[in-house]
């Protein structure tokens, strides 16, 4: 079965990707790379000495990198990961937590990771979390808002909020409940336990678990499989899969895709052309399909 699939669709290369730094913006807290000739961008949280905890600057840089990857029409998939093998991300940097949220030195406190979560959710390209080590606290929420999660066998998942006096009652709760079910989500939040990669796979938190030394190879292979499929189909499916949960914002995203496609049709163009030519539009040649 798989063999005949490959005969028709071709094998996906298992070669290592060759990464090129895409850091025109001179990042300090992240590494931003693109795979040469591949359509894959990779954003790496680069604070391994803090288990890749994010501070406001880290989040601002991630937002800029995701914006770049969105705007770059050669990019079709984005990988989000953490530097090293000990952590994907350990959430907000607790040393910088103030009564107003997280604050960079001499700056105002904020919870800008919430903006990043929304950005990933609405980004019209798949985002894959590539997780080695701890994905905990706000780092766990980040992997959950990604479209897919590929975990190394050393990955550990959990929410720590109730232990350190915080919680994510937004996507951190609702997406989790959708992913693993309401009972298990309550367990994960109320008890604040940690779960192994294989437990996370059984719970439906991650797509697959691979040996640590094959994590990037496997993730890149998933990217390549996605990239050979229709970008428009992928774009619309992402918004469709999110639409119900995201309410009006989800419908707006989905409907925006319909508008995109409509603009490319003769029928859509007729209205604009007629306006520009100062004549009444003639939609009579377009069928009213059943
Ligand atoms: C990740 C853990 C389990 C790793 O344990 P391990 O391997 O034993 O390493 P450690 O020795 O503990 O850590 C190594 C060094 O890294 C520092 N460090 C680790 N995590 C953080 C962190 N989150 N903030 C600051 N520093 C961190 C350690 O201090 C240590 O440093 P040194 O070597 O100098 O001693 C373990 O480290 C762990 O449990 N970490 C804390 C996890 C955690 O509780 N995270 C925060 C959870 N909350 C959020 O993420 C909130 C997110 C948020 O912004 C938000 C969003 C929406 C709504 C609300 C909020 C909100 O603010 O609450």
């Amino acid at each position: 079965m798989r063999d005949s699939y490959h005969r028709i669709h071709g094998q996906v290369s298992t070669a290592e990707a060759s990464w090129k730094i895409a850091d025109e913006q001179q990042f300090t807290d992240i590494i931003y790379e693109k795979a040469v000739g591949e359509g894959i961008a990779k954003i790496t949280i680069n604070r391994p000495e803090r288990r890749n905890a994010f501070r406001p600057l880290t989040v601002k840089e991630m937002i800029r990198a995701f914006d770049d990857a969105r705007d770059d029409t050669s990019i079709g998939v984005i990988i989000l990961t953490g530097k090293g093998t000990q952590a994907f991300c350990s959430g907000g940097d607790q040393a910088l937590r103030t009564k107003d949220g997280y604050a960079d030195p001499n700056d105002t406190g904020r919870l800008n990771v919430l903006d990043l979560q929304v950005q990933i959710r609405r980004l019209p390209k798949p985002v894959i979390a590539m997780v080695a080590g701890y994905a905990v606290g706000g780092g766990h929420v980040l992997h959950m808002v990604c479209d897919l999660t590929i975990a190394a066998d050393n990955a550990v998942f959990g929410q720590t909020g109730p232990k350190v006096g915080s919680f994510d009652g937004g996507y951190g709760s609702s997406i989790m409940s959708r992913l693993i079910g309401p009972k298990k989500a309550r367990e994960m939040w109320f008890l604040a336990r940690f779960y192994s990669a294989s437990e996370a796979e059984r719970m439906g938190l991650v797509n697959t678990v691979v040996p640590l030394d094959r994590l990037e190879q496997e993730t890149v292979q998933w990217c390549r499989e996605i990239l050979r499929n229709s970008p428009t189909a992928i774009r619309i499916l992402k918004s469709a899969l999110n639409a119900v949960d995201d309410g009006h914002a989800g419908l707006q995203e989905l409907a925006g895709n319909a508008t995109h496609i409509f603009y490319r049709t003769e029928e859509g163009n007729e209205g604009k052309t007629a306006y520009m030519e100062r004549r009444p539009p003639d939609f009579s040649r377009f069928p009213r399909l059943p």
Side-chain angles (χ1 to χ4, degrees), residues 100-174:
D100 300 319
Y102 295 85
D104 285 325
N106 307 320
D107 202 359
T108 316
R110 66 195 74 219
L111 284 175
N112 59 347
V113 75
L114 300 179
D115 300 330
L116 174 64
Q117 293 172 5
V118 172
Q119 182 187 26
I120 293 173
R121 188 86 174 168
R122 291 181 69 90
L123 208 143
K125 303 174 181 182
V127 180
I128 302 183
M130 181 169 84
V131 178
Y134 291 101
V136 300
H140 187 258
V141 178
L142 275 184
H143 104 83
M144 288 195 297
V145 298
C146 291
D147 297 292
L148 299 164
T149 299
I150 314 287
D153 51 10
N154 78 334
V156 176
F157 299 86
Q159 295 299 158
T160 59
K163 284 185 186 157
V164 295
S166 75
F167 55 87
D168 184 337
Y171 278 140
S173 298
S174 57

Side-chain angles (χ1 to χ4, degrees), residues 46-52:
N46 188 21
R47 303 188 76 221
E49 70 289 350
R50 289 265 163 274
R51 297 292 184 268
N52 295 319

Side-chain angles (χ1 to χ4, degrees), residues 10 13 16 38 44 48 50 61 78 80 123 130 150 170-171 184 188 195 198 207 217 223 229 235 237 251-252 259 277:
S13 163
E16 274 183 31
E38 295 251 28
T44 306
R50 289 265 163 274
E61 291 187 352
I78 303 151
L80 176 62
L123 208 143
M130 181 169 84
I150 314 287
Y171 278 140
K184 207 69 186 166
M188 206 166 180
Y195 300 82
S198 55
N207 294 87
Q217 193 190 13
C223 293
N229 293 333
R235 179 188 179 108
L237 282 167
L251 280 179
Q252 189 220 31
T259 307
E277 292 174 353

Side-chain angles (χ1 to χ4, degrees), residues 51-288:
R51 297 292 184 268
N52 295 319
F54 53 78
R55 54 182 173 174
L57 177 65
T58 323
V59 174
K60 283 183 199 165
E61 291 187 352
M62 283 196 272
I63 287 172
R64 286 191 349 241
F66 272 112
D67 254 343
D68 179 274
R70 176 181 180 145
D71 288 349
D72 184 340
T73 53
S74 74
I75 296 296
V77 187
I78 303 151
I79 297 171
L80 176 62
T81 191
K83 178 78 176 168
T85 58
Q86 289 185 298
F88 167 75
C89 176
S90 62
D93 188 325
Q94 295 305 293
L96 299 174
R97 193 171 133 190
T98 71
K99 63 178 175 43
D100 300 319
Y102 295 85
D104 285 325
N106 307 320
D107 202 359
T108 316
R110 66 195 74 219
L111 284 175
N112 59 347
V113 75
L114 300 179
D115 300 330
L116 174 64
Q117 293 172 5
V118 172
Q119 182 187 26
I120 293 173
R121 188 86 174 168
R122 291 181 69 90
L123 208 143
K125 303 174 181 182
V127 180
I128 302 183
M130 181 169 84
V131 178
Y134 291 101
V136 300
H140 187 258
V141 178
L142 275 184
H143 104 83
M144 288 195 297
V145 298
C146 291
D147 297 292
L148 299 164
T149 299
I150 314 287
D153 51 10
N154 78 334
V156 176
F157 299 86
Q159 295 299 158
T160 59
K163 284 185 186 157
V164 295
S166 75
F167 55 87
D168 184 337
Y171 278 140
S173 298
S174 57
I175 292 183
M176 186 195 288
S177 189
R178 279 282 195 213
L179 281 175
I180 63 177
K183 293 278 186 190
K184 207 69 186 166
R186 282 164 173 76
E187 173 190 315
M188 206 166 180
W189 271 111
F190 294 173
L191 279 67
R193 283 184 187 164
F194 284 176
Y195 300 82
S196 69
S198 55
E199 286 171 312
E201 190 178 26
R202 279 198 297 278
M203 287 155 68
L205 262 181
V206 307
N207 294 87
T208 191
V209 179
V210 296
L212 178 60
D213 62 1
R214 281 200 39 235
L215 179 62
E216 182 159 304
Q217 193 190 13
E218 183 74 19
T219 308
V220 166
Q221 207 172 322
W222 283 53
C223 293
R224 287 174 180 148
E225 280 195 49
I226 293 169
L227 285 166
R228 63 186 186 175
N229 293 333
S230 153
T232 305
I234 300 288
R235 179 188 179 108
I236 292 176
L237 282 167
K238 174 163 176 172
S239 60
L241 288 161
N242 289 340
V244 169
D245 288 338
D246 288 354
H248 283 280
L251 280 179
Q252 189 220 31
E253 178 74 22
L254 185 60
N257 284 322
T259 307
H260 253 293
I261 293 173
F262 187 52
Y263 276 3
R264 288 187 221 150
T265 65
E266 255 190 81
E267 182 181 343
N269 205 33
E270 166 60 14
K272 182 209 72 175
T273 308
Y275 175 79
M276 295 306 289
E277 292 174 353
R278 300 182 194 288
R279 62 170 173 81
D282 175 12
F283 291 112
S284 62
R285 67 183 185 280
F286 302 109
R288 284 158 172 83

